[in-house]
Structures are given as C-alpha cells and as structure tokens.
mmCIF file of all heavy atoms in Angstrom:
data_model
loop_
_atom_site.group_PDB
_atom_site.id
_atom_site.type_symbol
_atom_site.label_atom_id
_atom_site.label_comp_id
_atom_site.label_asym_id
_atom_site.label_seq_id
_atom_site.Cartn_x
_atom_site.Cartn_y
_atom_site.Cartn_z
ATOM 1 N N ALA A 1 -214.446 8.705 24.933
ATOM 2 C CA ALA A 1 -214.648 7.387 24.311
ATOM 3 C C ALA A 1 -213.441 6.484 24.558
ATOM 4 O O ALA A 1 -213.594 5.287 24.854
ATOM 5 C CB ALA A 1 -214.901 7.555 22.813
ATOM 6 N N LEU A 2 -212.244 7.030 24.427
ATOM 7 C CA LEU A 2 -211.048 6.244 24.695
ATOM 8 C C LEU A 2 -210.958 5.852 26.167
ATOM 9 O O LEU A 2 -210.603 4.715 26.498
ATOM 10 C CB LEU A 2 -209.799 7.025 24.272
ATOM 11 C CG LEU A 2 -209.502 7.022 22.780
ATOM 12 C CD1 LEU A 2 -208.528 8.140 22.414
ATOM 13 C CD2 LEU A 2 -208.936 5.669 22.338
ATOM 14 N N LEU A 3 -211.291 6.771 27.054
ATOM 15 C CA LEU A 3 -211.300 6.448 28.487
ATOM 16 C C LEU A 3 -212.312 5.346 28.791
ATOM 17 O O LEU A 3 -212.025 4.414 29.557
ATOM 18 C CB LEU A 3 -211.626 7.707 29.299
ATOM 19 C CG LEU A 3 -210.507 8.748 29.386
ATOM 20 C CD1 LEU A 3 -211.052 10.090 29.894
ATOM 21 C CD2 LEU A 3 -209.390 8.262 30.299
ATOM 22 N N ASP A 4 -213.491 5.434 28.186
ATOM 23 C CA ASP A 4 -214.511 4.404 28.394
ATOM 24 C C ASP A 4 -214.047 3.056 27.858
ATOM 25 O O ASP A 4 -214.285 2.008 28.485
ATOM 26 C CB ASP A 4 -215.823 4.812 27.719
ATOM 27 C CG ASP A 4 -216.519 5.973 28.412
ATOM 28 O OD1 ASP A 4 -216.168 6.278 29.568
ATOM 29 O OD2 ASP A 4 -217.418 6.579 27.790
ATOM 30 N N ALA A 5 -213.379 3.063 26.720
ATOM 31 C CA ALA A 5 -212.879 1.817 26.141
ATOM 32 C C ALA A 5 -211.854 1.159 27.055
ATOM 33 O O ALA A 5 -211.869 -0.066 27.258
ATOM 34 C CB ALA A 5 -212.279 2.090 24.766
ATOM 35 N N LEU A 6 -210.966 1.964 27.628
ATOM 36 C CA LEU A 6 -209.968 1.415 28.544
ATOM 37 C C LEU A 6 -210.628 0.855 29.802
ATOM 38 O O LEU A 6 -210.203 -0.182 30.340
ATOM 39 C CB LEU A 6 -208.931 2.478 28.896
ATOM 40 C CG LEU A 6 -208.056 2.961 27.734
ATOM 41 C CD1 LEU A 6 -207.100 4.049 28.197
ATOM 42 C CD2 LEU A 6 -207.285 1.812 27.093
ATOM 43 N N ASP A 7 -211.671 1.526 30.287
ATOM 44 C CA ASP A 7 -212.405 1.007 31.441
ATOM 45 C C ASP A 7 -213.066 -0.332 31.122
ATOM 46 O O ASP A 7 -213.043 -1.264 31.935
ATOM 47 C CB ASP A 7 -213.473 2.011 31.889
ATOM 48 C CG ASP A 7 -212.902 3.170 32.697
ATOM 49 O OD1 ASP A 7 -211.720 3.099 33.092
ATOM 50 O OD2 ASP A 7 -213.637 4.140 32.926
ATOM 51 N N LEU A 8 -213.660 -0.429 29.949
ATOM 52 C CA LEU A 8 -214.289 -1.685 29.550
ATOM 53 C C LEU A 8 -213.270 -2.819 29.475
ATOM 54 O O LEU A 8 -213.536 -3.949 29.919
ATOM 55 C CB LEU A 8 -214.998 -1.521 28.205
ATOM 56 C CG LEU A 8 -216.320 -0.746 28.239
ATOM 57 C CD1 LEU A 8 -216.743 -0.337 26.827
ATOM 58 C CD2 LEU A 8 -217.420 -1.587 28.890
ATOM 59 N N LEU A 9 -212.100 -2.533 28.949
ATOM 60 C CA LEU A 9 -211.080 -3.565 28.838
ATOM 61 C C LEU A 9 -210.525 -3.970 30.205
ATOM 62 O O LEU A 9 -210.255 -5.149 30.450
ATOM 63 C CB LEU A 9 -209.940 -3.086 27.942
ATOM 64 C CG LEU A 9 -210.282 -3.002 26.451
ATOM 65 C CD1 LEU A 9 -209.149 -2.328 25.685
ATOM 66 C CD2 LEU A 9 -210.551 -4.386 25.871
ATOM 67 N N GLU A 10 -210.393 -2.999 31.098
ATOM 68 C CA GLU A 10 -209.828 -3.325 32.409
ATOM 69 C C GLU A 10 -210.850 -3.957 33.350
ATOM 70 O O GLU A 10 -210.518 -4.884 34.094
ATOM 71 C CB GLU A 10 -209.236 -2.078 33.063
ATOM 72 C CG GLU A 10 -208.611 -2.390 34.417
ATOM 73 C CD GLU A 10 -207.928 -1.205 35.087
ATOM 74 O OE1 GLU A 10 -207.950 -0.104 34.514
ATOM 75 O OE2 GLU A 10 -207.375 -1.406 36.185
ATOM 76 N N PHE A 11 -212.090 -3.465 33.315
ATOM 77 C CA PHE A 11 -213.038 -3.843 34.370
ATOM 78 C C PHE A 11 -214.177 -4.755 33.934
ATOM 79 O O PHE A 11 -214.889 -5.295 34.780
ATOM 80 C CB PHE A 11 -213.619 -2.576 35.004
ATOM 81 C CG PHE A 11 -212.575 -1.680 35.612
ATOM 82 C CD1 PHE A 11 -212.381 -0.392 35.130
ATOM 83 C CD2 PHE A 11 -211.763 -2.131 36.641
ATOM 84 C CE1 PHE A 11 -211.407 0.437 35.677
ATOM 85 C CE2 PHE A 11 -210.781 -1.312 37.195
ATOM 86 C CZ PHE A 11 -210.607 -0.024 36.708
ATOM 87 N N SER A 12 -214.375 -4.934 32.629
ATOM 88 C CA SER A 12 -215.439 -5.839 32.194
ATOM 89 C C SER A 12 -215.096 -7.286 32.564
ATOM 90 O O SER A 12 -213.974 -7.746 32.302
ATOM 91 C CB SER A 12 -215.643 -5.735 30.680
ATOM 92 O OG SER A 12 -216.493 -6.785 30.231
ATOM 93 N N PRO A 13 -216.035 -8.039 33.138
ATOM 94 C CA PRO A 13 -215.743 -9.429 33.515
ATOM 95 C C PRO A 13 -215.720 -10.386 32.328
ATOM 96 O O PRO A 13 -215.323 -11.545 32.488
ATOM 97 C CB PRO A 13 -216.898 -9.764 34.467
ATOM 98 C CG PRO A 13 -218.018 -8.891 34.016
ATOM 99 C CD PRO A 13 -217.382 -7.611 33.553
ATOM 100 N N THR A 14 -216.139 -9.922 31.150
ATOM 101 C CA THR A 14 -216.243 -10.830 30.009
ATOM 102 C C THR A 14 -215.263 -10.535 28.878
ATOM 103 O O THR A 14 -214.846 -11.452 28.173
ATOM 104 C CB THR A 14 -217.675 -10.796 29.436
ATOM 105 O OG1 THR A 14 -217.999 -9.446 29.060
ATOM 106 C CG2 THR A 14 -218.678 -11.292 30.463
ATOM 107 N N ILE A 15 -214.885 -9.271 28.677
ATOM 108 C CA ILE A 15 -214.025 -8.937 27.530
ATOM 109 C C ILE A 15 -212.603 -9.426 27.745
ATOM 110 O O ILE A 15 -212.014 -10.098 26.889
ATOM 111 C CB ILE A 15 -214.040 -7.424 27.259
ATOM 112 C CG1 ILE A 15 -215.459 -6.956 26.916
ATOM 113 C CG2 ILE A 15 -213.076 -7.078 26.119
ATOM 114 C CD1 ILE A 15 -215.592 -5.458 26.816
ATOM 115 N N CYS A 16 -212.046 -9.095 28.887
ATOM 116 C CA CYS A 16 -210.662 -9.479 29.190
ATOM 117 C C CYS A 16 -210.598 -9.983 30.629
ATOM 118 O O CYS A 16 -209.992 -9.351 31.493
ATOM 119 C CB CYS A 16 -209.743 -8.280 28.972
ATOM 120 S SG CYS A 16 -207.991 -8.633 29.192
ATOM 121 N N PRO A 17 -211.222 -11.119 30.918
ATOM 122 C CA PRO A 17 -211.364 -11.573 32.307
ATOM 123 C C PRO A 17 -210.045 -11.887 32.997
ATOM 124 O O PRO A 17 -209.932 -11.742 34.214
ATOM 125 C CB PRO A 17 -212.240 -12.833 32.185
ATOM 126 C CG PRO A 17 -212.059 -13.290 30.775
ATOM 127 C CD PRO A 17 -211.854 -12.049 29.966
ATOM 128 N N SER A 18 -209.037 -12.310 32.247
ATOM 129 C CA SER A 18 -207.759 -12.668 32.866
ATOM 130 C C SER A 18 -206.854 -11.470 33.093
ATOM 131 O O SER A 18 -205.799 -11.577 33.708
ATOM 132 C CB SER A 18 -207.022 -13.686 31.996
ATOM 133 O OG SER A 18 -206.775 -13.153 30.709
ATOM 134 N N LYS A 19 -207.284 -10.298 32.567
ATOM 135 C CA LYS A 19 -206.532 -9.049 32.747
ATOM 136 C C LYS A 19 -205.122 -9.104 32.177
ATOM 137 O O LYS A 19 -204.213 -8.423 32.664
ATOM 138 C CB LYS A 19 -206.493 -8.629 34.229
ATOM 139 C CG LYS A 19 -207.857 -8.537 34.883
ATOM 140 C CD LYS A 19 -208.828 -7.694 34.084
ATOM 141 C CE LYS A 19 -210.233 -7.715 34.680
ATOM 142 N NZ LYS A 19 -211.249 -7.170 33.781
ATOM 143 N N ASP A 20 -204.931 -9.959 31.184
ATOM 144 C CA ASP A 20 -203.673 -9.885 30.450
ATOM 145 C C ASP A 20 -204.003 -9.686 28.973
ATOM 146 O O ASP A 20 -205.153 -9.796 28.555
ATOM 147 C CB ASP A 20 -202.801 -11.126 30.672
ATOM 148 C CG ASP A 20 -203.528 -12.415 30.325
ATOM 149 O OD1 ASP A 20 -204.703 -12.352 29.940
ATOM 150 O OD2 ASP A 20 -202.919 -13.495 30.448
ATOM 151 N N GLY A 21 -203.008 -9.358 28.206
ATOM 152 C CA GLY A 21 -203.228 -9.004 26.820
ATOM 153 C C GLY A 21 -202.585 -7.674 26.510
ATOM 154 O O GLY A 21 -201.847 -7.107 27.324
ATOM 155 N N VAL A 22 -202.857 -7.152 25.322
ATOM 156 C CA VAL A 22 -202.245 -5.917 24.835
ATOM 157 C C VAL A 22 -203.329 -5.049 24.206
ATOM 158 O O VAL A 22 -204.211 -5.563 23.508
ATOM 159 C CB VAL A 22 -201.154 -6.220 23.783
ATOM 160 C CG1 VAL A 22 -200.538 -4.932 23.238
ATOM 161 C CG2 VAL A 22 -200.079 -7.115 24.377
ATOM 162 N N VAL A 23 -203.258 -3.738 24.449
ATOM 163 C CA VAL A 23 -204.198 -2.786 23.857
ATOM 164 C C VAL A 23 -203.477 -2.022 22.750
ATOM 165 O O VAL A 23 -202.385 -1.472 22.968
ATOM 166 C CB VAL A 23 -204.737 -1.796 24.907
ATOM 167 C CG1 VAL A 23 -205.665 -0.770 24.249
ATOM 168 C CG2 VAL A 23 -205.470 -2.545 26.005
ATOM 169 N N VAL A 24 -204.092 -1.992 21.580
ATOM 170 C CA VAL A 24 -203.522 -1.292 20.420
ATOM 171 C C VAL A 24 -204.523 -0.236 19.961
ATOM 172 O O VAL A 24 -205.715 -0.529 19.846
ATOM 173 C CB VAL A 24 -203.236 -2.273 19.263
ATOM 174 C CG1 VAL A 24 -202.633 -1.533 18.067
ATOM 175 C CG2 VAL A 24 -202.313 -3.396 19.721
ATOM 176 N N THR A 25 -204.059 0.974 19.719
ATOM 177 C CA THR A 25 -204.922 2.000 19.130
ATOM 178 C C THR A 25 -204.482 2.268 17.702
ATOM 179 O O THR A 25 -203.285 2.246 17.387
ATOM 180 C CB THR A 25 -204.884 3.327 19.919
ATOM 181 O OG1 THR A 25 -203.563 3.884 19.849
ATOM 182 C CG2 THR A 25 -205.271 3.115 21.382
ATOM 183 N N THR A 26 -205.457 2.532 16.839
ATOM 184 C CA THR A 26 -205.151 2.894 15.458
ATOM 185 C C THR A 26 -206.324 3.678 14.895
ATOM 186 O O THR A 26 -207.266 4.015 15.622
ATOM 187 C CB THR A 26 -204.823 1.660 14.600
ATOM 188 O OG1 THR A 26 -204.211 2.089 13.376
ATOM 189 C CG2 THR A 26 -206.065 0.841 14.296
ATOM 190 N N SER A 27 -206.265 3.971 13.608
ATOM 191 C CA SER A 27 -207.270 4.800 12.961
ATOM 192 C C SER A 27 -207.903 4.066 11.788
ATOM 193 O O SER A 27 -207.238 3.311 11.076
ATOM 194 C CB SER A 27 -206.618 6.096 12.456
ATOM 195 O OG SER A 27 -207.475 6.802 11.590
ATOM 196 N N ALA A 28 -209.195 4.318 11.578
ATOM 197 C CA ALA A 28 -209.883 3.800 10.394
ATOM 198 C C ALA A 28 -209.663 4.698 9.186
ATOM 199 O O ALA A 28 -210.062 4.355 8.075
ATOM 200 C CB ALA A 28 -211.380 3.681 10.683
#
C-alpha cells in the first residue's frame, strides 16, 4: 500500500503534476 501510494504521488498526472512537494507519513 505504501509503495502504491508513492507511485501515485510520483506518476499520477493529476495528484502532483509539478513533481514537487513533500511526502509525510503518519498514523491514525
């Protein structure tokens, strides 16, 4: 699930199109 999330953030054309930003992990 974490690997898939990172793929979505890196390769999705709509979530992070400019490929900049910061990824934060935490717990519910």
Side-chain angles (χ1 to χ4, degrees):
L2 281 163
L3 287 165
D4 290 344
L6 295 178
D7 282 349
L8 285 165
L9 288 172
E10 181 177 1
F11 301 118
S12 169
T14 58
I15 299 172
C16 184
S18 60
K19 306 309 175 193
D20 56 359
V22 178
V23 177
V24 180
T25 64
T26 194
S27 168

